[in-house]
Amino acid sequence: MSEAPAVTETSPATAGKALVELDDVSKYYGNIRALEGVSLEAHAGEVTCVLGDNGAGKSTLIKIIAGLHQHDAGTFRIEGEEVRLGKPREALDRGIATVYQDLAVVPLMPVWRNFFLGSEPTKGAGPFKRMDVAFMRETTRAELLRMGIDLRDVDQPIGTLSGGERQCVAIARAVYFGAKVLVLDEPTAALGVKQSGVVLKYVAAARDAGLAVVLITHNPHHAYLVGDRFVLLKRGTMAGSYTKDAITLDELTRQMAGGSELEELSHELERAPKPLHLGGERTDES
């Protein structure tokens, strides 16, 4: 794989355009509050980072944007139009592609087969209809290269690629199939420092290609490297919403780590001072 992504730059017509908007959105499962009053904007040519600890509501937010679940309150807009998505196919048809952490790939199948999985082009007709393997191989190689991914052998099983490389293939696939909004579910969670850096390069490449990227993560350092907007979730509610020029990495990290709660905890965990015994050893006399 090459080091530097090479993609087209964002055009003035798409830069800064809000493609996805959530306004005061809530989701309940019976008496359980999964999300309440969450707002978010994803603009073309920008990365919106959603940060939160486990149980913060990130997964529920992804499912609403991806069309898996419908919101119970608030407003969900795609390119200015209010929507209630009933299934993932509706999200895909509107240009929203979601790349989950498990990637949903078939490890023993070649890279080109996974690239077109579920959307295989065919040639011929009737009993002679078959998959256009040559087209899939060539297109996969060309599209990966366009994203800056120089993969020499697209016939190798995708399971032989590193975790970072598999993430990059999934991003390139979403771009090829016409995604306008790319939702990434913790893409660097199981990766080391070097592979995380590779993935973040291609997140930036998707942004520069004009996509609106929603990056779900619990790592403020990764978020700050590529993010333009930051939404902090805590127990299903908004703990903050910032643009990059309005918050520093230190403050983002402090808020992500719990901020004032950690300060209170540190006071509780401080060692009590040891009592001083003056005047030598104490003796007990009967």
Side-chain angles (χ1 to χ4, degrees):
M1 298 178 69
S2 65
E3 291 299 320
V7 295
T8 56
E9 294 182 357
T10 307
S11 67
T14 58
K17 181 181 179 183
L19 297 180
V20 166
E21 298 173 81
L22 275 66
D23 185 13
D24 209 25
V25 163
S26 300
K27 177 66 182 177
Y28 303 95
Y29 300 103
N31 294 327
I32 299 174
R33 179 194 68 185
L35 282 181
E36 186 167 25
V38 173
S39 298
L40 172 149
E41 291 183 6
H43 291 244
E46 292 186 1
V47 179
T48 298
C49 298
V50 180
L51 299 102
D53 212 340
N54 293 334
K58 303 190 302 295
S59 295
T60 302
L61 185 66
I62 290 175
K63 290 172 182 176
I64 291 173
I65 297 174
L68 281 166
H69 292 170
Q70 290 189 339
H71 54 292
D72 295 319
T75 305
F76 179 15
R77 298 186 188 92
I78 299 176
E79 296 187 85
E81 179 186 350
E82 188 171 341
V83 297
R84 291 184 67 83
L85 301 178
K87 52 188 176 182
R89 185 75 250 178
E90 293 179 13
L92 283 170
D93 290 344
R94 290 176 173 270
I96 298 176
T98 303
V99 179
Y100 294 98
Q101 196 170 335
D102 58 11
L103 293 178
V105 297
V106 183
L108 295 180
M109 282 187 176
V111 174
W112 63 263
R113 188 74 168 84
N114 275 277
F115 192 91
F116 282 93
L117 194 62
S119 302
E120 293 86 351
T122 58
K123 62 181 180 179
F128 302 102
K129 188 175 182 179
R130 62 202 183 278
M131 290 193 304
D132 193 342
V133 175
F135 173 81
M136 286 190 281
R137 281 197 179 108
E138 183 55 36
T139 300
T140 298
R141 186 179 292 108
E143 288 302 314
L144 292 178
L145 190 60
R146 193 172 73 89
M147 285 290 290
I149 307 170
D150 187 9
L151 197 62
R152 294 177 181 83
D153 184 13
V154 295
D155 284 297
Q156 67 187 100
I158 199 169
T160 62
L161 301 183
S162 69
E165 289 170 332
R166 290 196 297 272
Q167 286 281 354
C168 297
V169 170
I171 293 171
R173 181 184 190 276
V175 173
Y176 172 73
F177 282 101
K180 298 178 183 178
V181 180
L182 181 62
V183 183
L184 299 172
D185 176 22
E186 302 266 12
T188 62
L191 304 180
V193 174
K194 185 175 181 180
Q195 286 298 315
S196 294
V198 170
V199 172
L200 292 176
K201 285 182 183 179
Y202 297 109
V203 170
R207 172 200 67 198
D208 294 342
L211 277 70
V213 181
V214 179
L215 175 63
I216 313 296
T217 182
H218 64 270
N219 190 316
H221 294 273
H222 292 171
Y224 205 79
L225 281 172
V226 295
D228 299 286
R229 300 169 185 270
F230 307 97
V231 174
L232 279 75
L233 298 183
K234 178 181 177 183
R235 297 174 188 171
T237 62
M238 297 232 353
S241 179
Y242 308 93
T243 55
K244 191 165 188 174
D245 58 1
I247 191 169
T248 64
L249 173 58
D250 288 344
E251 178 60 19
L252 185 67
T253 304
R254 191 186 77 84
Q255 292 204 29
M256 178 66 190
S260 58
E261 290 185 3
L262 276 182
E263 291 174 6
E264 292 176 8
L265 182 61
S266 67
H267 291 305
E268 294 178 13
L269 297 179
E270 283 181 359
R271 291 179 180 272
K274 294 182 178 180
L276 296 175
H277 297 293
L278 302 176
E281 296 183 356
R282 181 174 174 238
T283 59
D284 293 327
E285 295 181 4
S286 54

